[in-house]
Amino acid sequence: MYIKQTLRFVLKPMSFLPAIFMMCLIFSFSAQNSNESSQLSYEFGKEVLSIANETFDQGWTSEHIEYLTEHFQYYIRKAAHITEYFLLAVSVAFPLYVYGLRGIPLVLVAGTFCVGYACLDEFHQSFVAGRSPQKKDVCIDSIGIFAGIILTRIVGWTGRMTIFRPLSNSRKKRKANEAQYYRERDYDRRSSKKRYRSA
Protein backbone atom coordinates (compact mmCIF):
# COMPACT_ATOMS: atom_id res chain seq x y z
CA MET A 1 0.00 0.00 0.00
CA TYR A 2 2.83 2.39 0.91
CA ILE A 3 4.65 1.59 -2.36
CA LYS A 4 1.50 2.27 -4.38
CA GLN A 5 0.96 5.62 -2.68
CA THR A 6 4.62 6.55 -3.20
CA LEU A 7 4.49 5.69 -6.91
CA ARG A 8 1.29 7.67 -7.30
CA PHE A 9 2.83 10.63 -5.50
CA VAL A 10 5.90 10.52 -7.78
CA LEU A 11 4.28 9.62 -11.11
CA LYS A 12 1.24 11.93 -11.07
CA PRO A 13 3.31 15.16 -11.24
CA MET A 14 5.35 13.61 -14.06
CA SER A 15 2.18 13.56 -16.18
CA PHE A 16 2.85 17.26 -16.82
CA LEU A 17 6.19 16.53 -18.54
CA PRO A 18 4.66 16.19 -22.05
CA ALA A 19 3.09 19.64 -21.63
CA ILE A 20 6.46 21.13 -20.66
CA PHE A 21 8.05 19.41 -23.66
CA MET A 22 5.40 20.84 -26.02
CA MET A 23 5.83 24.34 -24.59
CA CYS A 24 9.59 24.15 -25.17
CA LEU A 25 9.05 22.81 -28.70
CA ILE A 26 6.62 25.62 -29.60
CA PHE A 27 9.03 28.18 -28.13
CA SER A 28 11.88 26.80 -30.24
CA PHE A 29 9.78 27.01 -33.42
CA SER A 30 8.84 30.61 -32.61
CA ALA A 31 12.50 31.50 -32.01
CA GLN A 32 13.30 30.76 -35.67
CA ASN A 33 13.59 33.76 -37.96
CA SER A 34 11.29 34.11 -40.97
CA ASN A 35 13.68 32.39 -43.40
CA GLU A 36 14.28 29.41 -41.12
CA SER A 37 10.58 29.04 -40.34
CA SER A 38 9.58 29.24 -44.01
CA GLN A 39 12.25 26.72 -45.00
CA LEU A 40 11.11 24.29 -42.31
CA SER A 41 7.49 24.58 -43.43
CA TYR A 42 8.51 24.14 -47.06
CA GLU A 43 10.55 20.99 -46.35
CA PHE A 44 7.80 19.53 -44.20
CA GLY A 45 5.11 20.23 -46.80
CA LYS A 46 7.26 18.80 -49.58
CA GLU A 47 7.85 15.62 -47.56
CA VAL A 48 4.14 15.20 -46.82
CA LEU A 49 3.19 15.67 -50.48
CA SER A 50 5.92 13.24 -51.58
CA ILE A 51 4.56 10.59 -49.20
CA ALA A 52 1.01 11.26 -50.43
CA ASN A 53 2.21 10.93 -54.04
CA GLU A 54 3.78 7.54 -53.33
CA THR A 55 0.96 6.26 -51.15
CA PHE A 56 -1.89 7.15 -53.51
CA ASP A 57 0.15 6.71 -56.73
CA GLN A 58 -0.67 10.18 -58.07
CA GLY A 59 2.20 10.26 -60.55
CA TRP A 60 3.28 13.79 -59.64
CA THR A 61 6.64 14.99 -60.88
CA SER A 62 9.13 16.64 -58.53
CA GLU A 63 8.38 20.00 -60.18
CA HIS A 64 4.65 19.56 -59.54
CA ILE A 65 5.30 18.64 -55.91
CA GLU A 66 7.38 21.79 -55.48
CA TYR A 67 4.59 23.83 -57.08
CA LEU A 68 1.99 22.32 -54.74
CA THR A 69 4.26 22.91 -51.75
CA GLU A 70 4.60 26.60 -52.57
CA HIS A 71 0.89 26.89 -53.40
CA PHE A 72 -0.26 25.33 -50.12
CA GLN A 73 2.47 26.86 -47.96
CA TYR A 74 0.05 29.12 -46.09
CA TYR A 75 -2.30 26.23 -45.25
CA ILE A 76 0.59 24.01 -44.19
CA ARG A 77 1.81 26.64 -41.73
CA LYS A 78 -1.66 27.15 -40.25
CA ALA A 79 -2.23 23.39 -40.02
CA ALA A 80 1.06 23.19 -38.11
CA HIS A 81 -0.26 25.86 -35.70
CA ILE A 82 -3.43 23.88 -35.07
CA THR A 83 -1.53 20.61 -34.64
CA GLU A 84 1.06 21.86 -32.16
CA TYR A 85 -1.55 23.57 -29.97
CA PHE A 86 -3.83 20.54 -30.22
CA LEU A 87 -1.00 18.45 -28.77
CA LEU A 88 -0.29 21.10 -26.12
CA ALA A 89 -3.96 21.15 -25.07
CA VAL A 90 -4.08 17.35 -24.77
CA SER A 91 -0.84 17.29 -22.76
CA VAL A 92 -2.21 19.99 -20.41
CA ALA A 93 -5.80 18.75 -20.10
CA PHE A 94 -4.99 15.08 -19.51
CA PRO A 95 -2.98 15.50 -16.25
CA LEU A 96 -5.59 17.99 -15.01
CA TYR A 97 -8.21 15.33 -15.71
CA VAL A 98 -6.12 12.80 -13.80
CA TYR A 99 -6.03 15.20 -10.84
CA GLY A 100 -9.84 15.31 -10.84
CA LEU A 101 -10.59 18.47 -12.81
CA ARG A 102 -13.58 17.64 -15.00
CA GLY A 103 -16.30 19.28 -17.09
CA ILE A 104 -16.47 23.05 -17.56
CA PRO A 105 -13.68 23.77 -15.02
CA LEU A 106 -11.33 21.62 -17.11
CA VAL A 107 -12.24 23.54 -20.26
CA LEU A 108 -11.78 26.90 -18.54
CA VAL A 109 -8.48 26.13 -16.81
CA ALA A 110 -6.80 24.22 -19.66
CA GLY A 111 -8.24 26.57 -22.29
CA THR A 112 -7.14 29.73 -20.46
CA PHE A 113 -3.65 28.36 -19.91
CA CYS A 114 -3.15 27.27 -23.53
CA VAL A 115 -4.66 30.40 -25.09
CA GLY A 116 -2.56 32.50 -22.72
CA TYR A 117 0.53 30.63 -23.84
CA ALA A 118 -0.47 31.21 -27.49
CA CYS A 119 -0.67 34.96 -26.78
CA LEU A 120 2.75 34.92 -25.10
CA ASP A 121 4.12 32.94 -28.03
CA GLU A 122 2.91 35.59 -30.49
CA PHE A 123 4.42 38.30 -28.28
CA HIS A 124 7.69 36.35 -28.29
CA GLN A 125 7.67 36.41 -32.11
CA SER A 126 7.70 40.22 -32.06
CA PHE A 127 11.35 39.97 -30.93
CA VAL A 128 12.33 37.55 -33.74
CA ALA A 129 13.76 38.87 -37.01
CA GLY A 130 11.25 38.92 -39.85
CA ARG A 131 8.31 37.82 -37.70
CA SER A 132 5.46 39.67 -36.04
CA PRO A 133 2.57 38.82 -33.68
CA GLN A 134 -0.72 37.97 -35.37
CA LYS A 135 -4.11 37.94 -33.61
CA LYS A 136 -5.36 35.62 -36.34
CA ASP A 137 -2.76 33.03 -35.36
CA VAL A 138 -4.07 33.02 -31.78
CA CYS A 139 -7.58 32.33 -33.13
CA ILE A 140 -6.21 29.51 -35.29
CA ASP A 141 -4.29 28.11 -32.32
CA SER A 142 -7.52 28.19 -30.28
CA ILE A 143 -9.15 25.78 -32.75
CA GLY A 144 -6.50 23.17 -31.94
CA ILE A 145 -6.66 23.98 -28.23
CA PHE A 146 -10.37 23.41 -27.74
CA ALA A 147 -10.35 20.40 -30.08
CA GLY A 148 -7.64 18.86 -27.87
CA ILE A 149 -9.54 19.61 -24.64
CA ILE A 150 -12.79 18.18 -26.01
CA LEU A 151 -10.99 15.04 -27.20
CA THR A 152 -9.44 14.63 -23.74
CA ARG A 153 -12.87 14.90 -22.13
CA ILE A 154 -14.34 12.33 -24.53
CA VAL A 155 -11.48 9.86 -24.05
CA GLY A 156 -11.47 10.37 -20.28
CA TRP A 157 -15.24 9.92 -19.95
CA THR A 158 -15.20 6.86 -22.24
CA GLY A 159 -12.39 5.32 -20.19
CA ARG A 160 -14.22 5.91 -16.93
CA MET A 161 -17.39 4.34 -18.33
CA THR A 162 -15.64 1.29 -19.83
CA ILE A 163 -12.05 0.30 -19.02
CA PHE A 164 -11.74 1.95 -15.60
CA ARG A 165 -15.36 1.47 -14.50
CA PRO A 166 -14.57 -1.68 -12.44
CA LEU A 167 -11.85 0.25 -10.60
CA SER A 168 -14.25 3.10 -9.94
CA ASN A 169 -16.93 0.70 -8.68
CA SER A 170 -14.48 -1.14 -6.41
CA ARG A 171 -13.29 2.18 -5.00
CA LYS A 172 -16.86 3.27 -4.28
CA LYS A 173 -17.62 -0.12 -2.71
CA ARG A 174 -14.52 0.13 -0.52
CA LYS A 175 -15.52 3.62 0.65
CA ALA A 176 -19.05 2.42 1.37
CA ASN A 177 -17.69 -0.50 3.41
CA GLU A 178 -15.42 1.83 5.35
CA ALA A 179 -18.32 4.19 6.06
CA GLN A 180 -20.45 1.27 7.20
CA TYR A 181 -17.65 0.05 9.46
CA TYR A 182 -17.29 3.45 11.15
CA ARG A 183 -21.07 3.77 11.60
CA GLU A 184 -21.24 0.36 13.25
CA ARG A 185 -18.24 1.15 15.44
CA ASP A 186 -19.81 4.43 16.59
CA TYR A 187 -23.08 2.64 17.25
CA ASP A 188 -21.31 -0.01 19.36
CA ARG A 189 -19.52 2.70 21.34
CA ARG A 190 -22.75 4.57 22.03
CA SER A 191 -24.47 1.32 23.02
CA SER A 192 -21.66 0.37 25.41
CA LYS A 193 -21.78 3.82 27.01
CA LYS A 194 -25.53 3.51 27.53
CA ARG A 195 -25.13 0.05 29.13
CA TYR A 196 -22.35 1.41 31.38
CA ARG A 197 -24.51 4.34 32.54
CA SER A 198 -27.55 2.13 33.17
CA ALA A 199 -25.41 -0.23 35.24
Side-chain angles (χ1 to χ4, degrees):
M1 190 69 179
Y2 175 76
I3 296 176
K4 184 185 293 185
Q5 291 177 345
T6 303
L7 287 174
R8 188 178 300 161
F9 178 78
V10 173
L11 293 178
K12 284 183 73 173
M14 291 179 66
S15 61
F16 286 99
L17 289 178
I20 296 173
F21 171 78
M22 281 304 306
M23 292 170 68
C24 294
L25 185 64
I26 292 172
F27 182 87
S28 67
F29 286 150
S30 298
Q32 295 175 338
N33 60 43
S34 58
N35 292 332
E36 292 173 338
S37 179
S38 297
Q39 184 63 27
L40 179 63
S41 298
Y42 179 84
E43 294 296 334
F44 177 76
K46 186 177 179 180
E47 186 65 25
V48 170
L49 289 172
S50 297
I51 294 172
N53 181 39
E54 294 175 2
T55 302
F56 300 105
D57 196 20
Q58 295 294 315
W60 295 335
T61 62
S62 58
E63 291 78 9
H64 187 65
I65 291 175
E66 291 178 359
Y67 165 77
L68 291 175
T69 303
E70 292 177 0
H71 183 73
F72 291 107
Q73 187 68 207
Y74 174 82
Y75 301 101
I76 292 171
R77 292 178 68 87
K78 300 313 172 187
H81 269 267
I82 293 174
T83 302
E84 63 187 10
Y85 276 94
F86 172 84
L87 295 175
L88 175 64
V90 171
S91 62
V92 169
F94 181 75
L96 292 177
Y97 194 94
V98 170
Y99 272 93
L101 197 62
R102 311 278 165 79
I104 299 301
L106 175 66
V107 176
L108 292 176
V109 173
T112 301
F113 179 85
C114 293
V115 172
Y117 188 77
C119 294
L120 289 175
D121 183 53
E122 291 298 319
F123 178 69
H124 167 227
Q125 291 181 34
S126 65
F127 299 97
V128 180
R131 306 187 70 173
S132 59
Q134 300 287 335
K135 294 180 181 179
K136 182 169 63 175
D137 282 349
V138 176
C139 295
I140 292 172
D141 297 339
S142 299
I143 296 173
I145 289 169
F146 288 102
I149 296 172
I150 291 170
L151 177 65
T152 302
R153 290 190 62 192
I154 292 172
V155 172
W157 182 86
T158 304
R160 288 172 57 208
M161 293 298 104
T162 55
I163 300 172
F164 299 108
R165 190 178 184 89
L167 295 177
S168 178
N169 290 340
S170 63
R171 192 178 299 115
K172 290 179 181 178
K173 186 176 181 180
R174 186 171 63 252
K175 288 182 179 180
N177 290 337
E178 290 177 355
Q180 180 67 21
Y181 167 75
Y182 288 121
R183 283 196 298 268
E184 291 176 355
R185 188 184 65 177
D186 291 340
Y187 176 79
D188 291 340
R189 286 179 177 177
R190 287 194 298 268
S191 298
S192 62
K193 285 181 180 179
K194 288 179 180 180
R195 286 195 299 270
Y196 176 78
R197 289 173 182 173
S198 61

PDB file of all heavy atoms in Angstrom, residues 16-41:
ATOM      1  N   PHE A  16       2.766  15.932 -16.214  1.00  0.00           N
ATOM      2  CA  PHE A  16       2.852  17.260 -16.821  1.00  0.00           C
ATOM      3  C   PHE A  16       4.086  17.406 -17.717  1.00  0.00           C
ATOM      4  O   PHE A  16       4.227  18.430 -18.389  1.00  0.00           O
ATOM      5  CB  PHE A  16       2.897  18.349 -15.743  1.00  0.00           C
ATOM      6  CG  PHE A  16       1.573  18.580 -15.063  1.00  0.00           C
ATOM      7  CD1 PHE A  16       1.313  18.015 -13.825  1.00  0.00           C
ATOM      8  CD2 PHE A  16       0.592  19.354 -15.661  1.00  0.00           C
ATOM      9  CE1 PHE A  16       0.093  18.226 -13.202  1.00  0.00           C
ATOM     10  CE2 PHE A  16      -0.629  19.574 -15.041  1.00  0.00           C
ATOM     11  CZ  PHE A  16      -0.878  19.001 -13.809  1.00  0.00           C
ATOM     12  N   LEU A  17       4.970  16.430 -17.735  1.00  0.00           N
ATOM     13  CA  LEU A  17       6.193  16.529 -18.538  1.00  0.00           C
ATOM     14  C   LEU A  17       5.916  16.687 -20.036  1.00  0.00           C
ATOM     15  O   LEU A  17       6.587  17.490 -20.701  1.00  0.00           O
ATOM     16  CB  LEU A  17       7.097  15.317 -18.280  1.00  0.00           C
ATOM     17  CG  LEU A  17       7.777  15.262 -16.910  1.00  0.00           C
ATOM     18  CD1 LEU A  17       8.611  13.983 -16.780  1.00  0.00           C
ATOM     19  CD2 LEU A  17       8.654  16.485 -16.695  1.00  0.00           C
ATOM     20  N   PRO A  18       4.948  15.958 -20.625  1.00  0.00           N
ATOM     21  CA  PRO A  18       4.658  16.187 -22.046  1.00  0.00           C
ATOM     22  C   PRO A  18       4.236  17.623 -22.344  1.00  0.00           C
ATOM     23  O   PRO A  18       4.587  18.168 -23.396  1.00  0.00           O
ATOM     24  CB  PRO A  18       3.521  15.202 -22.340  1.00  0.00           C
ATOM     25  CG  PRO A  18       3.713  14.112 -21.348  1.00  0.00           C
ATOM     26  CD  PRO A  18       4.202  14.795 -20.107  1.00  0.00           C
ATOM     27  N   ALA A  19       3.495  18.240 -21.422  1.00  0.00           N
ATOM     28  CA  ALA A  19       3.086  19.641 -21.628  1.00  0.00           C
ATOM     29  C   ALA A  19       4.298  20.561 -21.634  1.00  0.00           C
ATOM     30  O   ALA A  19       4.401  21.480 -22.460  1.00  0.00           O
ATOM     31  CB  ALA A  19       2.099  20.061 -20.535  1.00  0.00           C
ATOM     32  N   ILE A  20       5.237  20.316 -20.709  1.00  0.00           N
ATOM     33  CA  ILE A  20       6.456  21.130 -20.660  1.00  0.00           C
ATOM     34  C   ILE A  20       7.268  20.943 -21.935  1.00  0.00           C
ATOM     35  O   ILE A  20       7.813  21.909 -22.500  1.00  0.00           O
ATOM     36  CB  ILE A  20       7.287  20.758 -19.418  1.00  0.00           C
ATOM     37  CG1 ILE A  20       6.508  21.096 -18.140  1.00  0.00           C
ATOM     38  CG2 ILE A  20       8.638  21.471 -19.430  1.00  0.00           C
ATOM     39  CD1 ILE A  20       7.164  20.609 -16.877  1.00  0.00           C
ATOM     40  N   PHE A  21       7.326  19.696 -22.413  1.00  0.00           N
ATOM     41  CA  PHE A  21       8.046  19.413 -23.664  1.00  0.00           C
ATOM     42  C   PHE A  21       7.415  20.169 -24.829  1.00  0.00           C
ATOM     43  O   PHE A  21       8.120  20.776 -25.649  1.00  0.00           O
ATOM     44  CB  PHE A  21       8.036  17.909 -23.943  1.00  0.00           C
ATOM     45  CG  PHE A  21       8.562  17.545 -25.301  1.00  0.00           C
ATOM     46  CD1 PHE A  21       9.926  17.531 -25.562  1.00  0.00           C
ATOM     47  CD2 PHE A  21       7.680  17.231 -26.340  1.00  0.00           C
ATOM     48  CE1 PHE A  21      10.408  17.200 -26.816  1.00  0.00           C
ATOM     49  CE2 PHE A  21       8.149  16.902 -27.596  1.00  0.00           C
ATOM     50  CZ  PHE A  21       9.521  16.889 -27.835  1.00  0.00           C
ATOM     51  N   MET A  22       6.075  20.147 -24.930  1.00  0.00           N
ATOM     52  CA  MET A  22       5.397  20.843 -26.024  1.00  0.00           C
ATOM     53  C   MET A  22       5.599  22.351 -25.941  1.00  0.00           C
ATOM     54  O   MET A  22       5.780  23.014 -26.974  1.00  0.00           O
ATOM     55  CB  MET A  22       3.895  20.523 -26.005  1.00  0.00           C
ATOM     56  CG  MET A  22       3.524  19.177 -26.584  1.00  0.00           C
ATOM     57  SD  MET A  22       4.109  18.935 -28.290  1.00  0.00           S
ATOM     58  CE  MET A  22       3.425  20.365 -29.112  1.00  0.00           C
ATOM     59  N   MET A  23       5.603  22.905 -24.744  1.00  0.00           N
ATOM     60  CA  MET A  23       5.832  24.337 -24.588  1.00  0.00           C
ATOM     61  C   MET A  23       7.237  24.718 -25.059  1.00  0.00           C
ATOM     62  O   MET A  23       7.423  25.740 -25.744  1.00  0.00           O
ATOM     63  CB  MET A  23       5.622  24.741 -23.129  1.00  0.00           C
ATOM     64  CG  MET A  23       4.177  24.633 -22.672  1.00  0.00           C
ATOM     65  SD  MET A  23       3.960  24.826 -20.882  1.00  0.00           S
ATOM     66  CE  MET A  23       4.392  26.555 -20.698  1.00  0.00           C
ATOM     67  N   CYS A  24       8.208  23.890 -24.726  1.00  0.00           N
ATOM     68  CA  CYS A  24       9.585  24.146 -25.175  1.00  0.00           C
ATOM     69  C   CYS A  24       9.704  24.012 -26.692  1.00  0.00           C
ATOM     70  O   CYS A  24      10.404  24.802 -27.348  1.00  0.00           O
ATOM     71  CB  CYS A  24      10.557  23.188 -24.487  1.00  0.00           C
ATOM     72  SG  CYS A  24      10.714  23.424 -22.706  1.00  0.00           S
ATOM     73  N   LEU A  25       9.000  23.025 -27.253  1.00  0.00           N
ATOM     74  CA  LEU A  25       9.048  22.811 -28.701  1.00  0.00           C
ATOM     75  C   LEU A  25       8.434  23.992 -29.445  1.00  0.00           C
ATOM     76  O   LEU A  25       8.999  24.489 -30.436  1.00  0.00           O
ATOM     77  CB  LEU A  25       8.301  21.522 -29.053  1.00  0.00           C
ATOM     78  CG  LEU A  25       8.354  21.077 -30.516  1.00  0.00           C
ATOM     79  CD1 LEU A  25       9.781  20.732 -30.922  1.00  0.00           C
ATOM     80  CD2 LEU A  25       7.436  19.875 -30.738  1.00  0.00           C
ATOM     81  N   ILE A  26       7.277  24.463 -28.974  1.00  0.00           N
ATOM     82  CA  ILE A  26       6.621  25.617 -29.599  1.00  0.00           C
ATOM     83  C   ILE A  26       7.510  26.848 -29.486  1.00  0.00           C
ATOM     84  O   ILE A  26       7.642  27.631 -30.444  1.00  0.00           O
ATOM     85  CB  ILE A  26       5.247  25.865 -28.943  1.00  0.00           C
ATOM     86  CG1 ILE A  26       4.287  24.721 -29.282  1.00  0.00           C
ATOM     87  CG2 ILE A  26       4.660  27.194 -29.392  1.00  0.00           C
ATOM     88  CD1 ILE A  26       2.973  24.758 -28.529  1.00  0.00           C
ATOM     89  N   PHE A  27       8.133  27.028 -28.330  1.00  0.00           N
ATOM     90  CA  PHE A  27       9.028  28.177 -28.131  1.00  0.00           C
ATOM     91  C   PHE A  27      10.197  28.124 -29.119  1.00  0.00           C
ATOM     92  O   PHE A  27      10.595  29.145 -29.680  1.00  0.00           O
ATOM     93  CB  PHE A  27       9.548  28.186 -26.694  1.00  0.00           C
ATOM     94  CG  PHE A  27      10.427  29.359 -26.375  1.00  0.00           C
ATOM     95  CD1 PHE A  27       9.880  30.556 -25.939  1.00  0.00           C
ATOM     96  CD2 PHE A  27      11.807  29.278 -26.520  1.00  0.00           C
ATOM     97  CE1 PHE A  27      10.692  31.646 -25.653  1.00  0.00           C
ATOM     98  CE2 PHE A  27      12.626  30.360 -26.241  1.00  0.00           C
ATOM     99  CZ  PHE A  27      12.057  31.548 -25.805  1.00  0.00           C
ATOM    100  N   SER A  28      10.737  26.924 -29.333  1.00  0.00           N
ATOM    101  CA  SER A  28      11.884  26.798 -30.242  1.00  0.00           C
ATOM    102  C   SER A  28      11.475  27.094 -31.682  1.00  0.00           C
ATOM    103  O   SER A  28      12.240  27.708 -32.433  1.00  0.00           O
ATOM    104  CB  SER A  28      12.473  25.386 -30.148  1.00  0.00           C
ATOM    105  OG  SER A  28      11.571  24.415 -30.652  1.00  0.00           O
ATOM    106  N   PHE A  29      10.265  26.689 -32.078  1.00  0.00           N
ATOM    107  CA  PHE A  29       9.777  27.015 -33.418  1.00  0.00           C
ATOM    108  C   PHE A  29       9.601  28.527 -33.577  1.00  0.00           C
ATOM    109  O   PHE A  29       9.921  29.095 -34.625  1.00  0.00           O
ATOM    110  CB  PHE A  29       8.456  26.310 -33.703  1.00  0.00           C
ATOM    111  CG  PHE A  29       8.592  24.838 -33.964  1.00  0.00           C
ATOM    112  CD1 PHE A  29       7.569  23.954 -33.631  1.00  0.00           C
ATOM    113  CD2 PHE A  29       9.738  24.316 -34.544  1.00  0.00           C
ATOM    114  CE1 PHE A  29       7.690  22.592 -33.869  1.00  0.00           C
ATOM    115  CE2 PHE A  29       9.871  22.950 -34.789  1.00  0.00           C
ATOM    116  CZ  PHE A  29       8.843  22.095 -34.454  1.00  0.00           C
ATOM    117  N   SER A  30       9.081  29.166 -32.538  1.00  0.00           N
ATOM    118  CA  SER A  30       8.844  30.607 -32.610  1.00  0.00           C
ATOM    119  C   SER A  30      10.148  31.402 -32.592  1.00  0.00           C
ATOM    120  O   SER A  30      10.172  32.554 -33.038  1.00  0.00           O
ATOM    121  CB  SER A  30       7.965  31.058 -31.434  1.00  0.00           C
ATOM    122  OG  SER A  30       6.705  30.435 -31.501  1.00  0.00           O
ATOM    123  N   ALA A  31      11.210  30.802 -32.076  1.00  0.00           N
ATOM    124  CA  ALA A  31      12.500  31.497 -32.011  1.00  0.00           C
ATOM    125  C   ALA A  31      13.210  31.520 -33.364  1.00  0.00           C
ATOM    126  O   ALA A  31      14.206  32.218 -33.537  1.00  0.00           O
ATOM    127  CB  ALA A  31      13.397  30.841 -30.966  1.00  0.00           C
ATOM    128  N   GLN A  32      12.693  30.755 -34.337  1.00  0.00           N
ATOM    129  CA  GLN A  32      13.304  30.756 -35.667  1.00  0.00           C
ATOM    130  C   GLN A  32      12.939  32.035 -36.410  1.00  0.00           C
ATOM    131  O   GLN A  32      11.803  32.515 -36.311  1.00  0.00           O
ATOM    132  CB  GLN A  32      12.805  29.542 -36.469  1.00  0.00           C
ATOM    133  CG  GLN A  32      13.219  28.202 -35.901  1.00  0.00           C
ATOM    134  CD  GLN A  32      12.605  27.043 -36.666  1.00  0.00           C
ATOM    135  OE1 GLN A  32      11.583  27.200 -37.336  1.00  0.00           O
ATOM    136  NE2 GLN A  32      13.217  25.885 -36.571  1.00  0.00           N
ATOM    137  N   ASN A  33      13.901  32.575 -37.171  1.00  0.00           N
ATOM    138  CA  ASN A  33      13.588  33.756 -37.959  1.00  0.00           C
ATOM    139  C   ASN A  33      12.704  33.373 -39.144  1.00  0.00           C
ATOM    140  O   ASN A  33      12.433  32.189 -39.381  1.00  0.00           O
ATOM    141  CB  ASN A  33      14.862  34.475 -38.428  1.00  0.00           C
ATOM    142  CG  ASN A  33      15.750  33.597 -39.300  1.00  0.00           C
ATOM    143  OD1 ASN A  33      15.260  32.895 -40.171  1.00  0.00           O
ATOM    144  ND2 ASN A  33      17.054  33.636 -39.051  1.00  0.00           N
ATOM    145  N   SER A  34      12.264  34.355 -39.903  1.00  0.00           N
ATOM    146  CA  SER A  34      11.294  34.106 -40.969  1.00  0.00           C
ATOM    147  C   SER A  34      11.827  33.141 -42.020  1.00  0.00           C
ATOM    148  O   SER A  34      11.089  32.276 -42.510  1.00  0.00           O
ATOM    149  CB  SER A  34      10.886  35.427 -41.629  1.00  0.00           C
ATOM    150  OG  SER A  34      12.026  36.097 -42.157  1.00  0.00           O
ATOM    151  N   ASN A  35      13.095  33.274 -42.380  1.00  0.00           N
ATOM    152  CA  ASN A  35      13.676  32.389 -43.402  1.00  0.00           C
ATOM    153  C   ASN A  35      13.738  30.945 -42.918  1.00  0.00           C
ATOM    154  O   ASN A  35      13.384  30.011 -43.650  1.00  0.00           O
ATOM    155  CB  ASN A  35      15.073  32.869 -43.798  1.00  0.00           C
ATOM    156  CG  ASN A  35      15.034  34.187 -44.540  1.00  0.00           C
ATOM    157  OD1 ASN A  35      14.052  34.504 -45.212  1.00  0.00           O
ATOM    158  ND2 ASN A  35      16.100  34.977 -44.412  1.00  0.00           N
ATOM    159  N   GLU A  36      14.189  30.761 -41.674  1.00  0.00           N
ATOM    160  CA  GLU A  36      14.280  29.408 -41.120  1.00  0.00           C
ATOM    161  C   GLU A  36      12.906  28.768 -40.981  1.00  0.00           C
ATOM    162  O   GLU A  36      12.713  27.589 -41.294  1.00  0.00           O
ATOM    163  CB  GLU A  36      14.973  29.451 -39.761  1.00  0.00           C
ATOM    164  CG  GLU A  36      16.441  29.829 -39.811  1.00  0.00           C
ATOM    165  CD  GLU A  36      17.033  30.009 -38.426  1.00  0.00           C
ATOM    166  OE1 GLU A  36      16.255  30.244 -37.481  1.00  0.00           O
ATOM    167  OE2 GLU A  36      18.269  29.930 -38.302  1.00  0.00           O
ATOM    168  N   SER A  37      11.928  29.563 -40.523  1.00  0.00           N
ATOM    169  CA  SER A  37      10.580  29.042 -40.341  1.00  0.00           C
ATOM    170  C   SER A  37       9.949  28.670 -41.685  1.00  0.00           C
ATOM    171  O   SER A  37       9.320  27.608 -41.817  1.00  0.00           O
ATOM    172  CB  SER A  37       9.715  30.095 -39.635  1.00  0.00           C
ATOM    173  OG  SER A  37       8.399  29.634 -39.461  1.00  0.00           O
ATOM    174  N   SER A  38      10.135  29.522 -42.685  1.00  0.00           N
ATOM    175  CA  SER A  38       9.578  29.241 -44.013  1.00  0.00           C
ATOM    176  C   SER A  38      10.220  28.003 -44.627  1.00  0.00           C
ATOM    177  O   SER A  38       9.538  27.169 -45.239  1.00  0.00           O
ATOM    178  CB  SER A  38       9.785  30.443 -44.937  1.00  0.00           C
ATOM    179  OG  SER A  38       9.098  31.575 -44.454  1.00  0.00           O
ATOM    180  N   GLN A  39      11.542  27.873 -44.450  1.00  0.00           N
ATOM    181  CA  GLN A  39      12.246  26.721 -45.004  1.00  0.00           C
ATOM    182  C   GLN A  39      11.781  25.422 -44.347  1.00  0.00           C
ATOM    183  O   GLN A  39      11.594  24.397 -45.021  1.00  0.00           O
ATOM    184  CB  GLN A  39      13.755  26.887 -44.822  1.00  0.00           C
ATOM    185  CG  GLN A  39      14.603  25.794 -45.447  1.00  0.00           C
ATOM    186  CD  GLN A  39      14.464  25.733 -46.961  1.00  0.00           C
ATOM    187  OE1 GLN A  39      14.161  26.746 -47.600  1.00  0.00           O
ATOM    188  NE2 GLN A  39      14.687  24.558 -47.534  1.00  0.00           N
ATOM    189  N   LEU A  40      11.589  25.473 -43.020  1.00  0.00           N
ATOM    190  CA  LEU A  40      11.110  24.288 -42.307  1.00  0.00           C
ATOM    191  C   LEU A  40       9.719  23.889 -42.790  1.00  0.00           C
ATOM    192  O   LEU A  40       9.447  22.700 -43.029  1.00  0.00           O
ATOM    193  CB  LEU A  40      11.092  24.560 -40.803  1.00  0.00           C
ATOM    194  CG  LEU A  40      10.599  23.418 -39.920  1.00  0.00           C
ATOM    195  CD1 LEU A  40      11.526  22.213 -40.042  1.00  0.00           C
ATOM    196  CD2 LEU A  40      10.499  23.869 -38.461  1.00  0.00           C
ATOM    197  N   SER A  41       8.841  24.864 -42.949  1.00  0.00           N
ATOM    198  CA  SER A  41       7.487  24.580 -43.431  1.00  0.00           C
ATOM    199  C   SER A  41       7.517  24.029 -44.851  1.00  0.00           C
ATOM    200  O   SER A  41       6.761  23.110 -45.194  1.00  0.00           O
ATOM    201  CB  SER A  41       6.633  25.858 -43.394  1.00  0.00           C
ATOM    202  OG  SER A  41       6.501  26.341 -42.075  1.00  0.00           O
TER     203      SER A  41
END
